[in-house]
Amino acid sequence: MDEDLTMLIEPSRAGALLEIGVLDLDGDDPVAIHAMPLRGKFHRFL
């Protein structure tokens, strides 16, 4: 996986868990490139 890509697990405003992929999270201009409902393979990171 790209070292500049960070995967986050965050709740939506409605409380549903989402997986969000962000490029350059610690940089000056982070960009979300992926967002969808949390898949089972990521539940272990909760």
Side-chain angles (χ1 to χ4, degrees):
M1 193 171 280
D2 189 332
E3 63 189 48
D4 290 336
L5 177 64
T6 303
M7 292 298 287
L8 304 172
I9 298 172
E10 298 285 336
S12 69
R13 290 182 182 176
L17 291 175
L18 303 173
E19 60 185 65
I20 304 166
V22 182
L23 285 176
D24 198 24
L25 182 65
D26 295 324
D28 293 334
D29 195 23
V31 177
I33 61 164
H34 170 87
M36 64 182 290
L38 186 66
R39 292 177 284 177
K41 70 180 186 178
F42 290 112
H43 283 213
R44 64 188 169 118
F45 295 110
L46 291 173

